[in-house]
Amino acid sequence: MAVPLDDFDVILGNDFLHMGSIALMPFLRGLFVMNKSHPCFVPAANTISGKESTKLSHLSALQVKDGLRKGEPTFLATLVETKACKAANVPDMVVEVLEGFNDVMPAELPKELPPQRNGPEGVGGAQKTVARAVGGGIHSAIQGPIWRTSLVRILPIRTSKIMALGRHGGGRLLEPLPLFLKHSSTTGLSEALRETHKGLAEDTPHVPCSNRAGGSQRLSQSSIAPQMKTHSTDRSSSSDGCLGVSFFFNASCRTCHNPKILFESVLNQLKFQEKMVPKESEGQDHKSMVYLIFDNLELVRDWEKHSVIISMLFKLYDILKLPEVGLIFISNASPDTYYTNTGSLEPLPIYFPDYTEDELYQIFSRNQENPKLYSSFLDITLKPFCRITRRVDELSIAFQSLFQKYCEPLSDSRIVPTGDMKRMLFKDLNRHLAPSLNETFSIPSHLSYQEEAKKDKVRWKANVKNSGHGEALDDINFHMSVSAKYLLISAFLASRNRATLDAALFDSTGGGDNRKRKRKISEASKEKKETAEEELLMKGPGTFPLERLLAIFQCITSVMEDSLDEGVQESGSDLGAEGGNSELMSDVLLQLSTLCNANFISKGGTCPLEASTRYRSTVSEELALKVARSMKFPLSQYLYQK
Amino acid sequence: MEQQQTLAVNAQIELRRRLCDRKSIFSIFSESPNSNHSKLKFIVSNSVTEGCNNSVLLLGPRGCGQKEVELRAKVLDLVIEDLKSEHHDLISVVKLDGILHSDDNCALKEIAKQLCLENQLLFSKMASSDDNSQFMIAVLREYGLAHKTVIFVLDEFDLFAQGKQRLLYSLLDAMQSVASQAVVIGASCRLDADQLLEKRVRSRFSHRKLLFLPPNKEDRKRQVFLHSLTWKLHCFTLDSKFPLLLLNIFKDTRFMEVLDALSDYDSSINNLLNFLFVAVCDMALDTGYLSLDNFKTAALSIQRPFKLEIIQGCSILELYILVCMKRLEDKEQNSYNFNSVMKEYKGIHVSYQIPDYYSQNVCLRAFEHLLQRELICFMDNRGHSLSIEFRPVKLLISSYELHQALKSNRFFPALLHKLIS
């Protein structure tokens, strides 16, 4: 049963009754307020019949919901005591609503409720102001000066590109063609868009891309376009009187995993906007723009049925046939990598190229506390680093630690460097430069900073004397248990050596030392060796079953035990290594899974004949040698082809 | 001054609007009597007046970026509009798009929906596809009795020919069995679209095909061009010099060179219009004139050598890796991976003592960058369990592009060039 809400002067919720400790007394036609401070009785009157009714009219939550669904005007009223520094309790749900619309309510409430249905004064008027605020924030989105200047301020290097974007992108009164923005990673485009969205988010409640799996509404491809069309037309027909409002809808293909979610997110955003901004009446010349932005388009190519989706996206312009809708595709890959087999309009390409060295210089020297010092630092470092990579994110990580080292000899970081000091600093930094060029990331050591610095210095002196060239550190800088190390070595051996050689390398006594290899170097064997080398390079380390790994593990541990025993006996100490073998063997499977997780050993495919999992060691030879050295294990003796 | 600027802005808006309104531009083609436009019109109007069924295929090739299909669709629109204006209530149009309605049930639903809309009937969402197809046949019969014509426009016709082709069959079959007046117009960019049809469908299809080829006459295109830009130029109140100036530019031989270069690359009209659009966007707003430079930069931005630009964005190390891969390819090594590239790189370092010699993990990172830039890619999709350095890769650029890119930047080491020549 639906009850028109006009019948009610006020609707009291259960929570209100709870809080006010109110009892309904239908036979007395009133409410009894059993509040401790003000107990009272409130008589109620039925206004419809004109005389006092026999009972109160009630409205259930279901009825309200029904009315809402049918779009009947519904108002939510709460009584809040307005005293400064006193917070009122409202239910959690209401808090969300209130927060979402906290700028909707005008400072002064209107004296009366708005007339029914038409008339955008009351609540509608408030929404209109919101709309105007939204419009003011982003109306100029692409064409307007506010956005552009702010964007240019954020990304000064990209001025020309932003201008081009603005010119091609349309804006109010201008009809856009689809744009295709091609960028390589970290070229500022994502920043540009993020800034636009920040602008959006400040002015209007944020619209998240909802990725509900089982939405109430199933979308097939056929229904998307008409829906988009209706929503977009709705959107563009409802424009603000004085401003050409632009709306941006962003759909990142990274967050959406299939077309359904992608389009749903676009539609949801459109619908949300529609709710936010009321439809305006006719008689306006200004069109407002709707921009649909498809981000990370290159990921679509990995989706199922990608060719259809991409051709549909490119064809949206023709399908919608709306001059008010601008389409922007953003992609990492160039447009010629998208093959569509349909007759769609080709979007206009705008290319955001990589930063050049000068641009990088400008970017890094911005927002620095001590620009002079930093620019002297950049003079030294930027050039060599630019030869490796021109990506801002990687460079900034490398520069961060290097700059710390650069500043180390200085007592005051605000100092302005002179020529002499620069030279001194340069000399200081130079020894750090070569190693940092050669590393992609560094693991922070557990040692305290100063200690490490000291160690560093000592080591560097030695190193500089020895080789003069950055060499990898001798010890591994992370902890590994003994058995894990053995396991790593045996996995490495199992991957490198052929299974047929195992018997020769590890005989029954486990001695690796007494083997003798005789090799005749002939042309044939040389060739063989070359092809084998080639194969190693191409195919990578071989795979091995678990049994072989365990066998090798047992062999090398027993060898090491023996040698350890000898060593112990020679030195005369009574540290027994009895039972060490079994200890090492005990948790080997656990260790193996740890190594797998650490990606030192990878699980390969199953062998079709044996139907057992095969493993593969993925550690480099250097690391294996390092580990062996830390164990004093003669690894090179066991490696074939060495 | 300010007034002039607003005038210029208005002019720009007007020009943009005109360039986006492609329908009016394509209407020029209807003028010539021998064109596809008139042929199509003849076919359709024939079936309207004579009361018979018909089916036509419009085919347009789509080479590298040629969008003549677009033209085809536009011609179709024009024809339908023309006919509608001639025979007011006698025609209703049902439009389907292969991208959206390739599913048979979905397409039937859409047909029923559009027919309902046309005849002010209530469309039920709940109707099954059987109901819908029965409804369609009933409507066709009624139309036949009332001597009204339905035109089914199937865009991206080849996509309808996937699967069982139930829709095509039921449509064409209904046309044969029921006394109706219907025209099925298929449009596709696959020239062999009619070969995709099943036997039972093909036998019901009248094999009329209209081929749309890109205009090869230079003067005709220029006609479109001038038409779109100068058409009704007098109607807005900019400096009267404007059309005159444009005409001067159009006559300039340098401009013609730019245009020729553009049409060598892609001779479709849409490409031309895109080019004009960019040029108009770049118009200097303080003077309000289109200069030759505008057109030149527009031509450059329309036909970008993307690969070249991407290579130019590479760092020196990434270039070294590319060069190494190129060298491996020259050695006719049929498959190679990161490790073999590294071996080559080491070899180069040994023989030339290059200053840019870095450790393996730095190189691996650069290698990953190249993968991201799509200058190289993995040979196959197998072997996901292998780490990147062992998976075989291939180059996605030609040696010419690499040479060009290396030449174009003087900061790139000369050695790189030497290594691949």
Side-chain angles (χ1 to χ4, degrees), chain B residues 270-290:
Chain B
N270 265 313
N271 188 42
L272 196 72
L273 288 174
N274 273 356
F275 157 69
L276 287 178
F277 183 81
V278 174
V280 168
C281 287
D282 289 342
M283 190 165 106
L285 285 181
D286 45 349
T287 58
Y289 292 125
L290 281 165

mmCIF file of all heavy atoms in Angstrom, chain B residues 270-290:
data_model
loop_
_atom_site.group_PDB
_atom_site.id
_atom_site.type_symbol
_atom_site.label_atom_id
_atom_site.label_comp_id
_atom_site.label_asym_id
_atom_site.label_seq_id
_atom_site.Cartn_x
_atom_site.Cartn_y
_atom_site.Cartn_z
ATOM 1 N N ASN B 270 38.300 11.542 -44.925
ATOM 2 C CA ASN B 270 38.301 11.775 -43.487
ATOM 3 C C ASN B 270 39.658 12.217 -42.979
ATOM 4 O O ASN B 270 39.753 13.069 -42.102
ATOM 5 C CB ASN B 270 37.898 10.497 -42.761
ATOM 6 C CG ASN B 270 36.432 10.501 -42.474
ATOM 7 O OD1 ASN B 270 35.919 11.498 -41.998
ATOM 8 N ND2 ASN B 270 35.770 9.427 -42.794
ATOM 9 N N ASN B 271 40.669 11.612 -43.547
ATOM 10 C CA ASN B 271 42.011 12.010 -43.161
ATOM 11 C C ASN B 271 42.241 13.478 -43.496
ATOM 12 O O ASN B 271 42.799 14.243 -42.716
ATOM 13 C CB ASN B 271 43.022 11.126 -43.875
ATOM 14 C CG ASN B 271 44.416 11.337 -43.385
ATOM 15 O OD1 ASN B 271 44.628 11.465 -42.189
ATOM 16 N ND2 ASN B 271 45.351 11.406 -44.296
ATOM 17 N N LEU B 272 41.768 13.843 -44.651
ATOM 18 C CA LEU B 272 41.896 15.225 -45.100
ATOM 19 C C LEU B 272 41.165 16.162 -44.146
ATOM 20 O O LEU B 272 41.678 17.222 -43.769
ATOM 21 C CB LEU B 272 41.300 15.324 -46.498
ATOM 22 C CG LEU B 272 41.665 16.559 -47.291
ATOM 23 C CD1 LEU B 272 43.106 16.454 -47.703
ATOM 24 C CD2 LEU B 272 40.779 16.647 -48.504
ATOM 25 N N LEU B 273 39.987 15.739 -43.744
ATOM 26 C CA LEU B 273 39.199 16.592 -42.861
ATOM 27 C C LEU B 273 39.851 16.690 -41.483
ATOM 28 O O LEU B 273 39.837 17.750 -40.866
ATOM 29 C CB LEU B 273 37.786 16.037 -42.736
ATOM 30 C CG LEU B 273 36.938 16.207 -43.990
ATOM 31 C CD1 LEU B 273 35.618 15.504 -43.820
ATOM 32 C CD2 LEU B 273 36.717 17.662 -44.295
ATOM 33 N N ASN B 274 40.405 15.582 -41.024
ATOM 34 C CA ASN B 274 41.130 15.627 -39.760
ATOM 35 C C ASN B 274 42.277 16.618 -39.835
ATOM 36 O O ASN B 274 42.523 17.387 -38.910
ATOM 37 C CB ASN B 274 41.701 14.244 -39.428
ATOM 38 C CG ASN B 274 40.709 13.389 -38.680
ATOM 39 O OD1 ASN B 274 39.620 13.858 -38.355
ATOM 40 N ND2 ASN B 274 41.067 12.164 -38.422
ATOM 41 N N PHE B 275 42.953 16.564 -40.948
ATOM 42 C CA PHE B 275 44.081 17.471 -41.183
ATOM 43 C C PHE B 275 43.616 18.922 -41.122
ATOM 44 O O PHE B 275 44.224 19.765 -40.470
ATOM 45 C CB PHE B 275 44.700 17.100 -42.534
ATOM 46 C CG PHE B 275 45.482 18.170 -43.212
ATOM 47 C CD1 PHE B 275 46.694 18.587 -42.694
ATOM 48 C CD2 PHE B 275 45.021 18.756 -44.374
ATOM 49 C CE1 PHE B 275 47.426 19.562 -43.325
ATOM 50 C CE2 PHE B 275 45.747 19.724 -45.008
ATOM 51 C CZ PHE B 275 46.947 20.137 -44.483
ATOM 52 N N LEU B 276 42.506 19.187 -41.768
ATOM 53 C CA LEU B 276 41.970 20.541 -41.751
ATOM 54 C C LEU B 276 41.551 20.952 -40.349
ATOM 55 O O LEU B 276 41.773 22.085 -39.928
ATOM 56 C CB LEU B 276 40.748 20.623 -42.678
ATOM 57 C CG LEU B 276 41.055 20.599 -44.150
ATOM 58 C CD1 LEU B 276 39.770 20.648 -44.936
ATOM 59 C CD2 LEU B 276 41.917 21.772 -44.511
ATOM 60 N N PHE B 277 40.977 19.992 -39.644
ATOM 61 C CA PHE B 277 40.521 20.277 -38.285
ATOM 62 C C PHE B 277 41.684 20.709 -37.405
ATOM 63 O O PHE B 277 41.598 21.696 -36.676
ATOM 64 C CB PHE B 277 39.865 19.017 -37.718
ATOM 65 C CG PHE B 277 39.273 19.172 -36.359
ATOM 66 C CD1 PHE B 277 38.024 19.734 -36.210
ATOM 67 C CD2 PHE B 277 39.961 18.763 -35.235
ATOM 68 C CE1 PHE B 277 37.463 19.882 -34.957
ATOM 69 C CE2 PHE B 277 39.409 18.916 -33.987
ATOM 70 C CZ PHE B 277 38.152 19.473 -33.850
ATOM 71 N N VAL B 278 42.769 19.961 -37.507
ATOM 72 C CA VAL B 278 43.941 20.308 -36.694
ATOM 73 C C VAL B 278 44.474 21.678 -37.102
ATOM 74 O O VAL B 278 44.835 22.489 -36.249
ATOM 75 C CB VAL B 278 45.027 19.226 -36.835
ATOM 76 C CG1 VAL B 278 46.290 19.637 -36.122
ATOM 77 C CG2 VAL B 278 44.532 17.922 -36.278
ATOM 78 N N ALA B 279 44.480 21.918 -38.391
ATOM 79 C CA ALA B 279 44.988 23.201 -38.863
ATOM 80 C C ALA B 279 44.137 24.342 -38.333
ATOM 81 O O ALA B 279 44.652 25.368 -37.882
ATOM 82 C CB ALA B 279 45.012 23.217 -40.389
ATOM 83 N N VAL B 280 42.833 24.152 -38.349
ATOM 84 C CA VAL B 280 41.941 25.208 -37.860
ATOM 85 C C VAL B 280 42.123 25.397 -36.363
ATOM 86 O O VAL B 280 42.097 26.519 -35.856
ATOM 87 C CB VAL B 280 40.478 24.859 -38.208
ATOM 88 C CG1 VAL B 280 39.522 25.766 -37.472
ATOM 89 C CG2 VAL B 280 40.252 24.971 -39.690
ATOM 90 N N CYS B 281 42.350 24.281 -35.652
ATOM 91 C CA CYS B 281 42.572 24.393 -34.214
ATOM 92 C C CYS B 281 43.825 25.201 -33.904
ATOM 93 O O CYS B 281 43.903 25.872 -32.882
ATOM 94 C CB CYS B 281 42.718 23.004 -33.598
ATOM 95 S SG CYS B 281 41.193 22.122 -33.499
ATOM 96 N N ASP B 282 44.802 25.097 -34.783
ATOM 97 C CA ASP B 282 46.064 25.797 -34.538
ATOM 98 C C ASP B 282 46.042 27.232 -35.020
ATOM 99 O O ASP B 282 47.043 27.937 -34.944
ATOM 100 C CB ASP B 282 47.219 25.054 -35.237
ATOM 101 C CG ASP B 282 47.526 23.753 -34.535
ATOM 102 O OD1 ASP B 282 47.105 23.623 -33.385
ATOM 103 O OD2 ASP B 282 48.168 22.880 -35.130
ATOM 104 N N MET B 283 44.920 27.647 -35.509
ATOM 105 C CA MET B 283 44.808 28.997 -36.079
ATOM 106 C C MET B 283 45.238 30.051 -35.066
ATOM 107 O O MET B 283 44.899 29.967 -33.887
ATOM 108 C CB MET B 283 43.342 29.214 -36.449
ATOM 109 C CG MET B 283 43.051 30.414 -37.242
ATOM 110 S SD MET B 283 41.385 30.217 -37.932
ATOM 111 C CE MET B 283 40.497 31.358 -36.923
ATOM 112 N N ALA B 284 45.992 30.997 -35.540
ATOM 113 C CA ALA B 284 46.438 32.071 -34.655
ATOM 114 C C ALA B 284 45.255 32.967 -34.354
ATOM 115 O O ALA B 284 44.668 33.553 -35.262
ATOM 116 C CB ALA B 284 47.552 32.856 -35.313
ATOM 117 N N LEU B 285 44.900 33.064 -33.068
ATOM 118 C CA LEU B 285 43.655 33.750 -32.744
ATOM 119 C C LEU B 285 43.795 35.262 -32.734
ATOM 120 O O LEU B 285 42.816 35.980 -32.841
ATOM 121 C CB LEU B 285 43.139 33.266 -31.390
ATOM 122 C CG LEU B 285 42.513 31.872 -31.441
ATOM 123 C CD1 LEU B 285 42.011 31.461 -30.093
ATOM 124 C CD2 LEU B 285 41.373 31.828 -32.446
ATOM 125 N N ASP B 286 45.020 35.765 -32.591
ATOM 126 C CA ASP B 286 45.136 37.224 -32.556
ATOM 127 C C ASP B 286 44.995 37.833 -33.952
ATOM 128 O O ASP B 286 44.504 38.945 -34.092
ATOM 129 C CB ASP B 286 46.441 37.645 -31.870
ATOM 130 C CG ASP B 286 47.615 36.818 -32.350
ATOM 131 O OD1 ASP B 286 47.363 35.808 -33.044
ATOM 132 O OD2 ASP B 286 48.755 37.176 -32.056
ATOM 133 N N THR B 287 45.437 37.093 -34.954
ATOM 134 C CA THR B 287 45.250 37.629 -36.298
ATOM 135 C C THR B 287 43.994 37.058 -36.958
ATOM 136 O O THR B 287 43.314 37.749 -37.696
ATOM 137 C CB THR B 287 46.452 37.281 -37.191
ATOM 138 O OG1 THR B 287 46.580 35.856 -37.212
ATOM 139 C CG2 THR B 287 47.723 37.902 -36.672
ATOM 140 N N GLY B 288 43.713 35.795 -36.635
ATOM 141 C CA GLY B 288 42.523 35.208 -37.223
ATOM 142 C C GLY B 288 42.741 34.683 -38.619
ATOM 143 O O GLY B 288 41.795 34.491 -39.370
ATOM 144 N N TYR B 289 44.000 34.468 -38.971
ATOM 145 C CA TYR B 289 44.258 33.933 -40.309
ATOM 146 C C TYR B 289 44.871 32.546 -40.219
ATOM 147 O O TYR B 289 45.641 32.261 -39.307
ATOM 148 C CB TYR B 289 45.217 34.843 -41.071
ATOM 149 C CG TYR B 289 44.611 36.157 -41.416
ATOM 150 C CD1 TYR B 289 45.227 37.340 -41.040
ATOM 151 C CD2 TYR B 289 43.415 36.209 -42.132
ATOM 152 C CE1 TYR B 289 44.654 38.555 -41.350
ATOM 153 C CE2 TYR B 289 42.841 37.416 -42.442
ATOM 154 C CZ TYR B 289 43.467 38.594 -42.055
ATOM 155 O OH TYR B 289 42.891 39.768 -42.367
ATOM 156 N N LEU B 290 44.544 31.761 -41.185
ATOM 157 C CA LEU B 290 45.219 30.478 -41.310
ATOM 158 C C LEU B 290 46.457 30.687 -42.156
ATOM 159 O O LEU B 290 46.368 31.228 -43.261
ATOM 160 C CB LEU B 290 44.298 29.469 -41.993
ATOM 161 C CG LEU B 290 43.219 28.817 -41.136
ATOM 162 C CD1 LEU B 290 42.199 28.158 -42.033
ATOM 163 C CD2 LEU B 290 43.834 27.810 -40.216
#
